[in-house]
Amino acid sequence: MLSMLKNHTGKITRKEIWGDDYFLLSLEAPDISRESQPGQFVMVRTSTDPYPLLRRPFSIHGRNGSHIDIFFQKTGIGTSLLSQKQKGDPLEILGPLGNGFLLEDGTESKKVSLIGGGRGIAPLYFLAQELNKNQSKVRIFYGGRSSKDIPLLSKFKKENIETLCSTEDGSTGFQGLVTELFEQEMNSEPPSLICACGPDGMLKKVSQISEKNHIPAELSLESIMGCGFGACWGCVKKIKKENIKQWQKICEEGPVFWAHEIVWDE
Amino acid sequence: MIDVSVDLGFLKLHNPVIAASGTFGYGLEFSQALDLNRLGGFVVKGLYFSPRQGNPPPRLAETSCGLINSIGLPGIGVKQFSHEILPKLTGLQTAVIINICGENREEYASVADYLDKHEEISAYELNISCPNVKKGGICPAQNPEDTYETVKLVKNSCSTPVITKLSPNVTDISEIALSAQEGGSDALSLVNTFLAMDIDAVTRKPKLGNIMGGLSGPAIKPIALRMVYQAVRAVKIPVIGMGGIQTGRDAVEYLIAGARAVQVGTANFISPDATLQIIDEINAFCEDNHIKKVEDLIRTLDIDS
C-alpha cells in the first residue's frame, strides 16, 4: 500500500507564530517527509469531531529530516482550530498528495523566479531549498496587501535567499502588485522558469506574463477540497491538453499545472 | 465470532457496509487504502451512457457538520467503463454495484441493457435522485409516476437486480418507496442528498457555481434515519439506509430502524478507510452487547415499552 492514502498520526514538534495570524507547525511524519516533493500537499484533520467535517489541504512548506512543516494563515474555523494546537499534540495527516513542481529535468543551474502571493508563499520555501541543492539561481518575489501579509521576509533574508517584496499599501518594499514588481525586475535578470503560487488573479497575470515573454511557468492552484485524493471531484479547474478542454481535478492532476494549460476565462 | 453477513434476498453481503456512489470513484482508486474484499460492497460513480463533464466550480461548500456538493455527475460513460474499468473489477469477493443515470428514462434503460449479463456486476443502483443535474434540483424520484415508469422500463431492459436510490426531497417518502416497489424494484437505497445552498454574506454570491447542491454528512443523519424508518414500514422489499454514517454505532441505528444494509459516503472523503473502521466498530458493538448475528439487529426498534 502506498503511504499517501494511509492515515499518519504526526506529533507537532515545533510551533512558530509569524505576525498576527500566520503559523508554522512542524510535524513528525517520516514517511511523508521521505516521499514529498515541493508543490505537493497534505490533508490535515483539524478536529476529530464532526465539525469542521473535512480535512484541510496544506502545501508542504519545508522538510527537515523526518519532519515536515506546514505554514498557514488563520482564515476560518479549521485553520483557527489548527492555530490553537500546541507542541506535542497529535495531528492526523494524509499525504504527500498531488503532483508538485517539476524539478527533474531542466532546472539545474537555471535562473528560476518564484512568485508568491500572501499565504501562497508556503510551498515556495520548500521549492527554493530544493532548487538551491541543484545549483539553480533562485529569486523570490513575495507580495501581500501590507507588511503583515509578508511575514516570511525575514526568514528568507536570514537564509540568504534573494527576495524582492511588494505590498499594495506600500508599507514594505515596492508599492503595487507582486506581478508588477516582477515585470519591472525581470528584464535585469530574465529567468528561464517561473514557479508561482497565490490567488487566482495573481496566477492569471503570471500566465499572461509567461506567454508574452515566452518563459514557461508552473503554477500551483489553490482550491477548497473535499478529499484531496481524487474521490470527490470537488476541486476542478478547466485545463487544456492537446486542444481538449476539460475539468480536471486540482488535487490529483495538480495542484501544479503549466500556465499554458490553464483556461482562465470560462 | 460474530456473523456480520446480511441477506438482501437477491444478494448476500458478507457484512452490511457498502461504499456509496460518488464518494468511492470506480472502486479501484481506493484499493491503495483498503482491501476492497473486506467491504460488503461498493457502488461505483454514476454512469450515463455518454461521458459527461459535470458542473462548473466551485462545487463544494462545507457547512456545520455537513458538505454541500454540486459535482453534477462527471464520468467516463458506459463504453469506456465497460472496456477499461469493468475488467479490473472481475474476481472481487465483494458486491460490485453499478450506479446508473439518465437524462431520460430511455437512457437509464440503455445503460442497464448495455451492462447487462456481466457476471462481475452484483446489482444496479438506479440513480433517479441526483439534485445536481436538472434545473431547480428536479429528479424523477420526486414524482411517484416518474419513479414507477423509470423503474419499470429499466426492469424490462435487464436481468440484473435493481436497487432504486430515492431522494429525500419529497413530502411523503412512503409514497415514492411504494411506487418503486410497484415498478418492480428489488430493493431501495435512501437517502440521496438534501437540496441545499450556502451564501457568502459579504460578496452576496452563492458559494456553489450551480447555486444549489446536495447536503450530506452527519448534519442529515436524523432526517435520513427517519425516512429510512418510514420507507421500511411502507414496502416489502429490502431497504439500504444511508445519510451521515460516520461510526459503527450510526450504522447500527439504521439497522435497528429496519435497513438491511447501509451505505457510507461522505466519511470516505475524511478517511479513505472509513468503511473498514465502521465494519470493525459494528463488530465491536455486537461483541459488547452480546449480539451473535448482525441480522438480529435489523428492524428491532423498541417502541412498545
Side-chain angles (χ1 to χ4, degrees):
Chain A
M1 182 163 69
L2 291 178
S3 62
M4 56 176 250
L5 281 189
K6 185 176 155 255
N7 188 46
H8 300 266
T9 303
K11 258 200 181 129
I12 298 171
T13 54
R14 195 173 81 250
K15 178 180 178 178
E16 295 172 6
I17 302 169
W18 290 83
D20 295 342
D21 52 4
Y22 287 86
F23 298 83
L24 184 150
L25 295 178
S26 200
L27 310 167
E28 189 169 18
D31 291 345
I32 296 177
S33 173
R34 191 171 49 245
E35 292 173 29
S36 59
Q37 298 288 326
Q40 286 190 300
F41 65 98
V42 290
M43 293 295 288
V44 178
R45 266 187 106 166
T46 61
S47 165
T48 48
D49 295 325
Y51 182 66
L53 186 65
L54 302 171
R55 289 175 191 251
R56 297 290 187 267
F58 298 99
S59 61
I60 297 166
H61 173 63
R63 170 166 63 180
N64 200 335
S66 60
H67 295 69
I68 57 160
D69 296 344
I70 57 172
F71 177 78
F72 61 94
Q73 184 183 15
K74 188 168 79 177
T75 53
I77 172 85
T79 46
S80 182
L81 280 173
L82 203 55
S83 73
Q84 290 160 24
K85 303 278 182 193
Q86 300 300 334
K87 188 177 166 181
D89 288 348
L91 278 185
E92 288 186 31
I93 327 161
L94 283 182
L97 298 162
N99 297 299
F101 295 99
L102 292 173
L103 290 173
E104 299 84 5
D105 42 328
T107 53
E108 272 182 41
S109 311
K110 276 197 173 179
K111 287 176 183 163
V112 187
S113 287
L114 314 186
I115 308 174
R119 60 180 186 245
I121 198 69
L124 301 184
Y125 178 69
F126 185 17
L127 180 60
Q129 282 183 320
E130 295 297 306
L131 286 170
N132 278 333
K133 281 186 196 161
N134 69 11
Q135 312 299 318
S136 297
K137 171 93 177 67
V138 177
R139 278 216 291 184
I140 293 185
F141 294 81
Y142 185 14
R145 286 210 184 101
S146 77
S147 53
K148 69 178 178 60
D149 297 307
I150 50 170
L152 290 182
L153 193 57
S154 56
K155 177 169 172 166
F156 294 144
K157 292 223 158 129
K158 201 172 148 196
E159 299 196 18
N160 291 320
I161 304 169
E162 187 184 348
T163 308
L164 291 81
C165 68
S166 67
T167 50
E168 286 171 50
D169 65 2
S171 50
T172 306
F174 174 86
Q175 180 168 11
L177 298 172
V178 69
T179 45
E180 292 166 350
L181 170 65
F182 175 69
E183 273 190 302
Q184 183 185 291
E185 293 292 328
M186 62 178 281
N187 293 326
S188 68
E189 209 178 301
S192 49
L193 178 70
I194 301 168
C195 296
C197 183
D200 271 11
M202 183 201 106
L203 295 181
K204 186 179 169 185
K205 184 69 191 164
V206 172
S207 291
Q208 291 163 353
I209 296 169
S210 150
E211 192 183 352
K212 192 173 138 200
N213 297 283
H214 309 287
I215 305 167
E218 295 186 73
L219 310 182
S220 179
L221 300 178
E222 187 182 55
S223 174
I224 291 173
M225 288 183 183
C227 63
F229 53 90
C232 76
W233 293 70
C235 61
V236 293
K237 190 83 183 170
K238 189 74 57 94
I239 298 295
K240 188 174 78 179
K241 274 183 185 164
E242 289 155 9
N243 276 323
I244 299 166
K245 290 181 193 174
Q246 51 186 345
W247 298 115
Q248 290 207 342
K249 293 177 251 183
I250 291 173
C251 68
E252 196 176 51
E253 310 290 337
V256 179
F257 292 94
W258 287 108
H260 66 266
E261 292 176 341
I262 301 170
V263 182
W264 291 102
D265 300 307
E266 240 178 277
Chain B
M1 192 70 179
I2 292 146
D3 179 3
V4 289
S5 67
V6 291
D7 192 353
L8 300 180
F10 59 94
L11 180 63
K12 285 189 167 57
L13 304 174
H14 46 245
N15 66 63
V17 178
I18 302 167
S21 182
T23 67
F24 209 67
Y26 298 109
L28 301 167
E29 294 90 331
F30 279 76
S31 58
Q32 286 179 19
L34 54 90
D35 177 2
L36 294 172
N37 292 327
R38 280 201 59 203
L39 300 173
F42 63 88
V43 192
V44 301
K45 191 162 175 55
L47 277 177
Y48 280 86
F49 200 85
S50 304
R52 280 167 63 98
Q53 278 284 304
N55 288 329
R59 289 175 170 184
L60 299 174
E62 188 178 330
T63 55
S64 301
C65 303
L67 171 66
I68 312 177
N69 86 79
S70 62
I71 309 290
L73 293 168
I76 55 177
V78 77
K79 287 181 181 164
Q80 196 183 343
F81 175 80
S82 73
H83 294 140
E84 293 175 17
I85 307 290
L86 203 48
K88 294 178 187 160
L89 299 176
T90 53
L92 288 174
Q93 301 301 308
T94 187
V96 176
I97 301 167
I98 309 296
N99 183 279
I100 62 179
C101 307
E103 291 277 347
N104 48 50
R105 285 173 204 160
E106 290 68 32
E107 187 173 3
Y108 284 103
S110 56
V111 175
D113 175 54
Y114 192 91
L115 291 174
D116 206 23
K117 300 193 173 62
H118 278 94
E119 269 185 8
E120 55 272 49
I121 299 175
S122 308
Y124 291 143
E125 181 176 63
L126 195 55
N127 185 359
I128 57 169
S129 48
C130 179
N132 286 323
V133 286
K134 293 232 167 97
K135 244 197 163 126
I138 301 295
C139 62
Q142 285 173 306
N143 179 298
E145 261 172 53
D146 212 352
T147 298
Y148 171 81
E149 293 294 344
T150 309
V151 173
K152 196 174 158 198
L153 187 64
V154 169
K155 278 298 289 178
N156 288 337
S157 314
C158 66
S159 54
T160 309
V162 172
I163 302 162
T164 306
K165 186 168 181 177
L166 303 186
S167 167
N169 304 308
V170 295
T171 310
D172 182 2
I173 194 70
S174 306
E175 183 188 23
I176 308 288
L178 273 170
S179 304
Q181 177 175 269
E182 280 166 27
S185 193
D186 298 282
L188 304 175
S189 60
L190 66 149
V191 295
N192 206 318
T193 55
F194 286 78
L195 192 61
M197 70 186 293
D198 201 7
I199 295 171
D200 183 320
V202 175
T203 63
R204 303 192 189 186
K205 286 184 185 299
K207 286 200 183 170
L208 295 171
N210 215 35
I211 303 173
M212 293 189 283
L215 178 64
S216 66
I220 71 167
K221 204 198 93 189
I223 323 178
L225 189 63
R226 179 268 295 175
M227 293 183 120
V228 167
Y229 171 77
Q230 290 177 311
V232 164
R233 268 142 192 83
V235 296
K236 294 191 178 76
I237 51 178
V239 170
I240 300 168
M242 78 188 97
I245 296 176
Q246 303 267 307
T247 65
R249 195 173 273 254
D250 292 337
V252 166
E253 289 174 25
Y254 274 91
L255 299 175
I256 292 170
R260 297 200 67 85
V262 296
Q263 289 189 16
V264 173
T266 305
N268 296 314
F269 298 153
I270 302 151
S271 299
D273 64 349
T275 42
L276 297 193
Q277 291 174 31
I278 290 167
I279 294 165
D280 291 343
E281 287 165 11
I282 293 173
N283 261 300
F285 178 90
C286 290
E287 213 155 272
D288 292 348
N289 291 279
H290 314 292
I291 292 151
K292 292 192 180 75
K293 287 168 68 182
V294 159
E295 289 227 333
D296 292 343
L297 284 165
I298 295 169
R299 204 169 172 174
T300 56
L301 184 69
D302 183 0
I303 41 179
D304 297 325
S305 51

